[in-house]
Amino acid sequence: MTHRSESDPGVFTNLRLELRRGCLTVAVLAALRTEQYGYTLRKLLEESGLSVDEGTLYPLLRRLETQGLLVSEWREHAKRNKRFYRLSETGATILAQLVVELRSIDTSLNKILSEPIHGIA
Amino acid sequence: MELLDRYLQAVRLFLPSSQQDDIVRELSENLISQVEDREEALGRRLSEEEQADILRRHGHPMVVAGKYLTQQHLIGPALISIYLFTLKIGLATALVVTALIAVIGTILHGEPVQHAVEAFLAYPGRAFFIFGWTTLVFAALEYTQAKLSFTTKWDPRKLPKVVWAEHRISRANSLLEFIFSIACAAWFTLIPGGPELLLGPAAGFLSLAPVWDLVFVPIIALVLASAALSLVNFIRPYWSSSRSLCRMAIHSGALFLSVVLLRAGEWVTAKPGITLPDGSSPDVFVSIVNTSFEIGVFVAMIISVVEIFREFRRWKSRRKQSSPSESTPARIAM
C-alpha cells in the first residue's frame, strides 16, 4: 500500500474542493435571495471570501434552475441584456433546510474537534 | 473582441445543441462584463494578451462546455465495478475462444505454429470488439441509470457467502483447465472418425477395440462437465460444498469408466490380414500397446481414487469452516 505525503498539496486541494462544493450551493442560494446576474453574483461571493471560478458557477446556476430552486430571466441592464437569477419559492424552502443542516454539521464538528484526543484502550 | 468570439465559438462546439445559444449568450455577457470592469479599473482598453489571460482563467473551451453536460462521465461510480468485471470476463472469453479455434484448427489441419500466429493476430480485433460493445452497453445503462434500482433496492442477505483464502480458486488455472478440457473434448470427439489421433501411425494396422464405442460418449460428457465446472470456477472463483460434490462426481465417473475400460482387457486389436513392414505379425505390437493402455488406465484409476479422497477431505473441511463458530475473519479472502 502506498501513502501520499501529508504535505502533498494535491490531496489538500481535492479535499478542499469537496468541502467547498456543498457549501458553495448554499452560498449561491443565499446570495440569490437578492436578484443577481452571473458576473455580479461571482463578485459578491468573492467579496464575501468565497471566490469561485466562472466555469463552476454558471453550470451550477443552470443546475439549480433545472432543479427548480432558481428562476431566471433575460433583462436589459446598462444597455445590455443580462440573465438575472433569483431564488424561487422552492429554493427558499430548500435553503432554509440546508442552513439548518449546515449549522447542525457545524455544531457536531465543533463538538468533535473540542473533545480531547484519546486512543482505543 | 475577436478573441472572445473565437473562444465562444469553440465552447459552442461542445455544448448540447438545445442549449448552445442560451449558454453562449450568457457566457458572452459575463465575459464582456469582466473585460469592461478590468478596462474601467485600468482606465484603458485591454491588450490582446490581457484578454487572452481572462479567457485562459475562464477555462479551456472543452472543460467549460463539459461542465454544462448533465452526464459528465461515460460510466459512473455505480456501474464502473461491474463494467470492469464484465470486461474482464469478456476479454478472457475472447481469449478462450481464440485459443480453442487455434487448438481445433491444429487438431484438424496440423500446422500449430501457423494457427498460433493466426490466433495471436486475431485476438486484438476480438478484444477490441468486446471492449467496444461492453463499453457501449454500459454507457447506455449509465444513461438510463436513473431508471435502474439495483443499487438502491438490494438485500445484504443475498450477497455471496464469505470466502476464506484457502477456498479461493485461481482464475488463470480455471481458464487453463477450461481450455484444456474443451481441447480434450474436441480431441475425443474426433477419435472415432480418425483413430490416428489416438494411435498415431499405428492406426495403419491397429483398430480400437469395441469397448471404446461404449465409453467415448461418457468420456466426452465427463470432460464437458469438467469444462463447465472450470467455467463456473472462473466466474465465481471460490470453492463451495456443491462444487466439491460436482468434482467428486466427475472423478467418480472417471473412476467408473476406468474400471469399465480395465475390465475390457483389450483396447486395440490388429487389423485383419495386415503385417508389419518387416513382414512380421503385429500381435507382439498389439500386446505391447494393450499393456501400455492397461498401465495407463490403471494409473488413471489410481489418480481418480486419490482425487476423490482429497476432494472428500476438502469438502468435509469446508463444511466445518462454514459453521459460524469456525469463522475467522482474518482468513477471509480479500
Side-chain angles (χ1 to χ4, degrees):
Chain A
M1 192 187 281
T2 57
H3 294 280
R4 296 181 75 172
S5 162
E6 275 177 32
S7 60
D8 186 341
V11 174
F12 172 71
T13 306
N14 287 338
L15 291 173
R16 183 170 168 267
L17 277 174
E18 275 181 38
L19 189 64
R20 282 169 51 103
R21 202 169 290 141
C23 297
L24 182 64
T25 304
V26 181
V28 166
L29 291 175
L32 287 175
R33 286 174 297 176
T34 311
E35 195 175 60
Q36 304 281 346
Y37 66 92
Y39 183 62
T40 51
L41 173 64
R42 197 171 80 86
K43 285 214 305 187
L44 178 72
L45 291 170
E46 197 172 340
E47 283 160 12
S48 308
L50 201 64
S51 60
V52 53
D53 65 86
E54 298 99 320
T56 302
L57 180 62
Y58 301 138
L60 174 64
L61 289 171
R62 297 227 156 219
R63 268 203 300 282
L64 294 174
E65 190 185 12
T66 310
Q67 290 165 350
L69 307 185
L70 299 179
V71 285
S72 75
E73 64 171 330
W74 283 96
R75 217 170 52 234
E76 196 176 298
H77 174 77
K79 295 182 185 173
R80 274 215 313 273
N81 271 324
K82 296 184 190 306
R83 187 179 201 140
F84 285 87
Y85 292 89
R86 68 172 188 281
L87 200 61
S88 70
E89 277 185 31
T90 316
T93 311
I94 297 283
L95 174 63
Q97 292 170 344
L98 288 175
V99 168
V100 170
E101 186 63 27
L102 193 62
R103 291 200 170 131
S104 160
I105 292 170
D106 188 45
T107 308
S108 306
L109 202 56
N110 280 331
K111 192 173 168 225
I112 293 166
L113 288 171
S114 63
E115 279 173 5
I117 301 166
H118 47 78
I120 298 166
Chain B
M1 290 281 183
E2 196 212 335
L3 267 188
L4 176 64
D5 291 336
R6 282 162 62 185
Y7 180 78
L8 292 172
Q9 177 186 270
V11 174
R12 175 188 287 270
L13 185 67
F14 302 106
L15 288 171
S17 55
S18 60
Q19 298 176 41
Q20 279 177 348
D21 289 341
D22 199 37
I23 292 172
V24 167
R25 194 176 160 201
E26 187 177 22
L27 284 180
S28 168
E29 283 306 318
N30 288 314
L31 282 166
I32 288 171
S33 297
Q34 207 172 325
V35 170
E36 284 177 353
D37 252 22
R38 187 92 183 108
E39 285 179 342
E40 201 179 308
L42 293 171
R44 60 171 172 83
R45 292 186 67 81
L46 293 187
S47 68
E48 194 179 71
E49 181 52 37
E50 286 165 332
Q51 286 180 34
D53 192 48
I54 287 177
L55 296 177
R56 205 176 292 121
R57 274 189 281 118
H58 192 262
H60 190 283
M62 215 188 299
V63 177
V64 169
K67 289 185 177 174
Y68 283 94
L69 301 177
T70 47
Q71 188 180 335
Q72 297 191 353
H73 40 240
L74 199 58
I75 297 162
L79 292 177
I80 190 73
S81 55
I82 191 163
Y83 162 72
L84 291 173
F85 181 73
T86 309
L87 199 59
K88 272 196 257 180
I89 298 278
L91 292 175
T93 308
L95 186 66
V96 170
V97 169
T98 305
L100 279 179
I101 291 171
V103 169
I104 292 169
T106 304
I107 290 170
L108 291 175
H109 309 295
E111 299 175 348
V113 175
Q114 186 196 331
H115 284 103
V117 170
E118 279 175 7
F120 181 74
L121 294 176
Y123 183 69
R126 291 191 184 111
F128 189 73
F129 180 83
I130 299 279
F131 173 77
W133 275 105
T134 309
T135 306
L136 208 62
V137 167
F138 273 86
L141 279 174
E142 177 69 36
Y143 187 71
T144 55
Q145 202 196 135
K147 292 170 189 163
L148 299 174
S149 57
F150 75 92
T151 52
T152 50
K153 292 179 186 168
W154 62 286
D155 185 352
R157 289 166 298 186
K158 289 180 181 166
L159 289 172
K161 286 182 180 171
V162 169
V163 180
W164 277 267
E166 58 264 40
H167 293 184
R168 276 264 165 209
I169 305 171
S170 152
R171 275 211 164 98
N173 285 353
S174 300
L175 191 64
L176 285 175
E177 273 177 27
F178 179 75
I179 294 170
F180 182 72
S181 302
I182 293 291
C184 280
W187 182 57
F188 273 111
T189 309
L190 294 170
I191 286 174
E196 63 277 2
L197 287 170
L198 182 65
L199 300 172
F205 51 91
L206 294 181
S207 299
L208 290 171
V211 68
W212 289 103
D213 295 335
L214 191 68
V215 296
F216 264 131
V217 173
I219 287 177
I220 292 165
L222 273 182
V223 175
L224 287 177
S226 180
L229 186 62
S230 305
L231 194 62
V232 173
N233 287 346
F234 179 79
I235 295 166
R236 307 190 77 165
Y238 53 85
W239 285 113
S240 63
S241 291
S242 55
R243 271 183 262 170
S244 271
L245 288 173
C246 284
R247 209 166 148 104
M248 271 192 274
I250 290 169
H251 287 307
S252 302
L255 178 64
F256 176 74
L257 290 177
S258 302
V259 172
V260 170
L261 274 171
L262 208 59
R263 282 169 63 93
E266 187 182 55
W267 301 278
V268 292
T269 55
K271 282 185 177 172
I274 285 185
T275 54
L276 293 177
D278 63 359
S280 62
S281 164
D283 288 348
V284 177
F285 194 77
V286 168
S287 170
I288 293 169
V289 174
N290 274 329
T291 307
S292 307
F293 263 106
E294 189 173 18
I295 294 167
V297 173
F298 189 72
V299 169
M301 203 171 77
I302 291 170
I303 291 173
S304 297
V305 171
V306 170
E307 285 298 322
I308 291 168
F309 180 69
R310 280 176 57 187
E311 203 56 50
F312 180 72
R313 285 188 63 183
R314 283 194 204 126
W315 176 71
K316 272 185 72 175
S317 138
R318 275 170 208 136
R319 276 174 66 86
K320 201 177 167 189
Q321 283 170 347
S322 300
S323 65
S325 59
E326 296 286 328
S327 300
T328 313
R331 282 160 54 218
I332 292 172
M334 299 303 280

